[in-house]
Amino acid sequence: MQREAHLTNAALMARRRAAVARGVGQTHEIFVARARNAELWDVEGKRYIDFAGGIAVLNTGHCHPEVIAAVKAQLDQYTHTCFQVLAYEPYVELAERLNALAPGQFTKKSLFLSTGAEAVENAVKIARSHTRRGGIIAFTGGYHGRTVMTLGLTGKVAPYKSGFGPFPGEVFHALFPTALHGVSVADALASVDTILKNDIEPERVAAFIVEPVQGEGGFYIAPNEFIAGLKQIADRHGILLIADEVQTGAGRTGTWFASEQWPVAPDLIATAKSLAGGFPIAGVVGRAEVMDAPGPGGLGGTYAGSPIGCAAALAVLKAFEDEKLLQRSRSMGEALIAGLQRLAARQPAIVDVRGLGAMVAIELARTATPNSPMPS
Ligand SMILES: Cc1ncc(COP(=O)(O)O)c(C=O)c1O
């Protein structure tokens, strides 16, 4: 790889520090020059394996050739009309494809946006519009985005919520089950009941929002008994179930949506990140009658469901079929878990190996005491 003349990571970091707001963090002091599949090269010509994938965005790798070709073809046709003003077929086709992929034996509809936080915001708007209720119950450790509503839903203060409140009212946090840290499924479901007794009557709750596998929260998997129990409470009180699949969607967990592995189908799914293999698009997919609750003009946005994003997402779906990527997600996950379990057998600091499909984590003990779980 050719070295970029005049550019060094250190010099660019100095310019970045002077020009870019401090709150935009940076994990690595590396500036990218080029990226392909799982590798990237920095401005100094150094080559890396990219384990970050732009935070769960590159399930089809950097610059998948078919995705790039689809985007180039779309660029030559038109780049923006605003779907609410002048519609285009790729948006409709993507909706048809995701409606068919989402779990649940009921008619579905979709809408598209630009970011994951926007998808979550819209799922909340749709749930409120359908139920005519305001309350939302989210879970500890959950992460739902950086807008004010999604920060309100996020169940983790530092660094996301610090200094940004107040957050919208009528949002409550129940316990997410993490057996490793002493929170059983029964404890988690009991904490929902406690909220419904102490904080808000069930008739005023619009939805539960839950990640099938908590992403930012530490790759904790929502156990199927927990989802089944939550759905029972939801059905008892006419509360909707929203799956935040912004991170778990697009094949990461071995199925297109992780909620396909749930014992019950969610009413609404928020999706984004890897959906378009590195191009910004997000969506909400769900029960048609719920999705249709907001009136015309209630949903949308200038760039929402851009033609570029739709074209890229359709190419990603095709790549998943052509290259059997769901199978690959499962086999990579199995290989990773087996290897990490072998490592854990030799390394007492590893207190847990867990995963769903290719969404795999190890948990390390913070203390020197072997096999003592990290305090939560
Ligand atoms: C589960 C989940 N929901 C929502 C979001 C927010 O998505 P975005 O950063 O695209 O707004 C994220 C991002 O990490 C996420 O992991």
Side-chain angles (χ1 to χ4, degrees), residues 55 114-118 120 143-146 211 215-216 244-247 272-273:
I55 314 188
S114 305
T115 68
E118 230 187 328
V120 172
Y143 178 83
H144 300 286
R146 290 180 185 272
E211 291 164 87
E216 291 289 310
D244 180 346
E245 293 236 32
V246 168
Q247 189 152 163
K273 286 201 187 270

Side-chain angles (χ1 to χ4, degrees), residues 41-107:
W41 289 260
D42 72 6
V43 290
E44 299 175 10
K46 279 196 220 102
R47 175 172 166 240
Y48 302 84
I49 298 175
D50 181 4
F51 283 106
I55 314 188
V57 167
L58 298 162
N59 294 352
T60 44
H62 283 283
C63 302
H64 187 289
E66 300 298 326
V67 176
I68 298 298
V71 167
K72 283 183 175 163
Q74 183 59 50
L75 284 173
D76 285 338
Q77 300 305 313
Y78 54 92
T79 62
H80 178 77
T81 62
C82 185
F83 187 76
Q84 298 115 267
V85 180
L86 289 169
Y88 34 89
E89 205 232 348
Y91 187 118
V92 178
E93 187 181 345
L94 186 59
E96 290 166 347
R97 296 291 309 274
L98 294 187
N99 294 343
L101 281 168
Q105 299 300 314
F106 43 79
T107 310

